[in-house]
Amino acid sequence: MLITATPSLIHALRQRRERLAQHVDFPVVLWSGQPQSRNFPANTHPFRSSSHFLYFAGVPLANAAIRLERGQLTLFMDEATPAEALWHGPSPTRQELAQQIGADAAYPLAELAQWVAEAATLPVLDAATRSIQQALLGRSVGIAQAQNQDQRLAEAIVQVRLCHDARAVAEIRQAAAVSVKAHRAGMAATRQAATEAEVRAAMEQVIMAHGMTCAYNSIVTIHGEVLHNEHYHHRLGSGDLLLADVGAEAASGWASDITRTWPVSGKFSPTQRDLYDLVLAAHDACIAKARPGVEYRDVHLLACQVLAEGLVDLGILQGQPETLVEQDAHALFFPHGVGHLLGLDVHDMEDLGDLAGYASGRSRSDRFGLAFLRLDRPLQAGMAITIEPGFYQVPGILQDPVRRERYRDSVNWERLSQFADVRGIRIEDDVLITAEGCEVLTVGLPNTAEAVESLVCG
Ligand code: GLY
Ligand code: MN
Ligand code: MN
């Protein structure tokens, strides 16, 4: 979908270009990418522009490129042919689009070849565009091969995109508000629904009705222990917990990312309630800690600590919580990181590997409890992050003989068996770091057990 550019967007785009120009002294060419064909060329998979292109171009064009140099923007795109207009309707001319996004000049794509000398770029994910990038630049283009200018560009773009401007925050807020409505609709639909698919439909219809798309494949499942479960065929049982991780993406590309877990019956069992309240305590503690200067890794470790303490109180873990966290025993039940950067992508800039998520000089740990930590930087005002602790009983972890042996004395396996009606709980909110602390952008969606129960019960 095309969005209408406004003077405020043009202003924001100019500021983004100027910020980039403070970091690089060479030209930059960014490609939008192109639709992928499903079988015949006109039948395509849904198209999504490259986020790096979108950040500076502002509108989700396909088959386009932009050149940025010293704050100047040049647009390269072809105008629709009569045949394209016949099938897809009229579209703005190159000059109209250039005006809408505040471009200084605009040319047909064929002229781009004359403008790529000394230019740096970032790889687009679709293979066809990647070949064009490589052919025009006369070198390989890829994160693994990134060197010299491309590497410097990637580092500069991380610096520019890490903290969001007011325009970006407004867009994330809009996406978050629609996600909140989608989750409310999902909860309200559950008691009448027979399957996960029906609840998913109730949620995604809200997103579609707002002219948005999903920022990632929805997770709506009674098997929340499968962290990114993308099956929706199970029937809902009255004793099940339903985990829904569903987020809207604004037409401009900005994302949101919310998870709630609710009882299908509208009432948590006592065991479900114990673990739900524990995950919520970890979630709330992390949000209370999030502010500029705090290390995100410490936010993650706080979630681990709260979970370990609670699991000891419930008799599931045995030992000193600090020691259990040092030994990664909490990761038996919370094997992922507490969240990630959020922006134009739900895992913002993860196309650049850990370059955005990890501060310079840091790299992933191979520890069981830290290997999936996606963000390890001090928080800064303007960053958007998620906070999403969870509790899961993953058979592949809990039945692994090596782990059972290693954590033989840390887990009371008999006590754990009393919590069999909890397969997976996650509570996820989107959080903007502000100068004073933080703001929960998804606060419009309640998360206490009582509030969730009453939303399900209508
Ligand atoms: N929705 C994917 C995630 O929470 O990371
Ligand atoms: Mn997330
Ligand atoms: Mn999520």
Side-chain angles (χ1 to χ4, degrees):
M1 178 195 296
L2 219 48
I3 60 165
T4 311
T6 59
S8 77
L9 176 65
I10 291 174
H11 177 69
L13 297 177
R14 183 169 301 122
Q15 288 194 322
R16 289 175 190 172
R17 298 199 291 276
E18 284 167 5
R19 283 170 59 211
L20 181 67
Q22 288 164 13
H23 289 85
V24 299
D25 55 3
F26 43 79
V28 172
V29 177
L30 297 171
W31 276 261
S32 66
Q34 55 186 281
Q36 301 285 293
S37 171
R38 282 176 53 156
N39 53 347
F40 62 98
N43 187 15
T44 58
H45 290 286
F47 173 69
R48 170 62 160 67
S49 299
S50 149
S51 293
H52 302 298
F53 172 92
L54 213 40
Y55 186 82
F56 294 102
V59 290
L61 303 177
N63 295 307
I66 51 174
R67 183 179 188 277
L68 306 164
E69 187 175 25
R70 288 189 227 100
Q72 299 286 106
L73 168 63
T74 309
L75 174 67
F76 294 87
M77 59 169 279
D78 291 336
E79 297 197 345
T81 61
E84 283 164 344
L86 171 66
W87 292 98
H88 304 299
S91 49
T93 66
R94 184 186 309 115
Q95 280 312 323
E96 284 167 344
L97 272 166
Q99 203 173 4
Q100 277 193 30
I101 67 173
D104 299 286
Y107 303 105
L109 263 177
E111 295 191 24
L112 179 55
Q114 300 160 36
W115 292 83
V116 295
E118 310 297 323
T121 195
L122 294 178
V124 170
L125 294 182
D126 75 84
T129 306
R130 185 91 67 98
S131 312
I132 293 171
Q133 289 183 287
Q134 302 193 143
L136 279 185
L137 294 168
R139 57 188 166 81
S140 61
V141 169
I143 284 306
Q145 302 100 311
Q147 26 161 297
N148 306 330
Q149 314 252 108
D150 289 354
Q151 181 67 26
R152 283 177 58 200
L153 173 62
E155 286 163 7
I157 284 194
V158 166
Q159 287 312 311
V160 172
R161 286 183 53 190
L162 205 49
C163 296
H164 299 309
D165 54 34
R167 172 88 194 185
V169 172
E171 298 280 352
I172 295 173
R173 265 185 216 287
Q174 283 184 14
V178 170
S179 299
V180 166
K181 286 188 190 173
H183 278 258
R184 286 178 180 271
M187 291 184 207
T190 298
R191 291 217 299 174
Q192 282 75 49
T195 62
E196 296 161 338
E198 289 176 35
V199 179
R200 175 196 179 196
M203 299 182 79
E204 292 192 3
Q205 85 85 21
V206 173
I207 295 173
M208 291 171 76
H210 282 81
M212 296 193 181
T213 55
C214 293
Y216 49 90
N217 294 338
S218 298
I219 300 163
V220 183
T221 183
I222 57 169
H223 283 283
E225 79 279 11
V226 179
L227 299 181
H228 280 179
N229 199 334
E230 292 180 11
H231 300 288
Y232 314 99
H233 57 277
H234 299 107
R235 297 189 70 77
L236 305 180
S238 61
D240 287 329
L241 290 178
L242 185 66
L243 184 155
D245 184 344
V246 176
E249 175 179 297
S252 53
W254 294 90
S256 59
D257 183 10
I258 302 183
T259 308
R260 289 291 183 271
T261 308
W262 59 84
V264 167
S265 67
K267 183 79 187 155
F268 288 99
S269 73
T271 42
Q272 290 170 343
R273 176 69 191 259
D274 282 343
L275 287 169
Y276 186 90
D277 285 347
L278 175 56
V279 173
L280 186 61
H283 164 281
D284 291 352
C286 291
I287 289 175
K289 187 177 174 72
R291 61 178 182 279
V294 167
E295 290 286 349
Y296 191 78
R297 180 192 172 95
D298 291 339
V299 177
H300 172 76
L301 288 170
L302 177 61
C304 303
Q305 178 70 21
V306 173
L307 288 169
E309 285 169 8
L311 292 173
V312 168
D313 291 343
L314 290 171
I316 294 173
L317 285 178
Q318 306 172 138
Q320 286 300 320
E322 295 79 11
T323 314
L324 290 165
V325 171
E326 279 162 18
Q327 294 170 343
D328 292 324
H330 66 281
L332 291 166
F333 305 104
F334 174 45
H336 61 76
V338 79
H340 48 83
L341 293 167
L342 178 73
L344 271 170
D345 292 303
V346 64
H347 286 191
D348 209 29
M349 297 185 277
E350 283 192 21
D351 59 312
L352 303 176
D354 279 339
L355 193 67
Y358 276 62
S360 174
R362 300 184 188 179
S363 58
R364 292 247 184 168
S365 164
D366 56 9
R367 264 179 60 179
F368 176 36
L370 289 171
F372 291 114
L373 183 60
R374 296 174 181 278
L375 178 57
D376 184 5
R377 293 186 167 270
L379 297 175
Q380 290 171 246
M383 280 183 182
I385 57 167
T386 66
I387 294 293
E388 51 180 305
F391 173 93
Y392 313 90
Q393 298 205 53
V394 182
I397 294 176
L398 297 179
Q399 287 165 21
D400 172 16
V402 176
R403 294 223 158 92
R404 278 190 90 99
E405 176 57 24
R406 172 161 159 70
Y407 296 109
R408 193 182 48 203
D409 299 328
S410 307
V411 179
N412 181 337
W413 299 99
E414 197 183 313
R415 175 71 177 138
L416 178 63
S417 68
Q418 294 168 4
F419 292 83
D421 65 350
V422 178
R423 289 189 286 256
I425 295 173
R426 177 162 66 253
I427 305 172
E428 174 175 31
D429 280 296
D430 300 345
V431 176
L432 176 70
I433 306 302
T434 61
E436 303 78 33
C438 71
E439 178 192 347
V440 181
L441 300 175
T442 44
V443 72
L445 186 64
N447 54 23
T448 63
E450 293 85 358
V452 163
E453 285 177 344
S454 66
L455 284 172
V456 175
C457 293

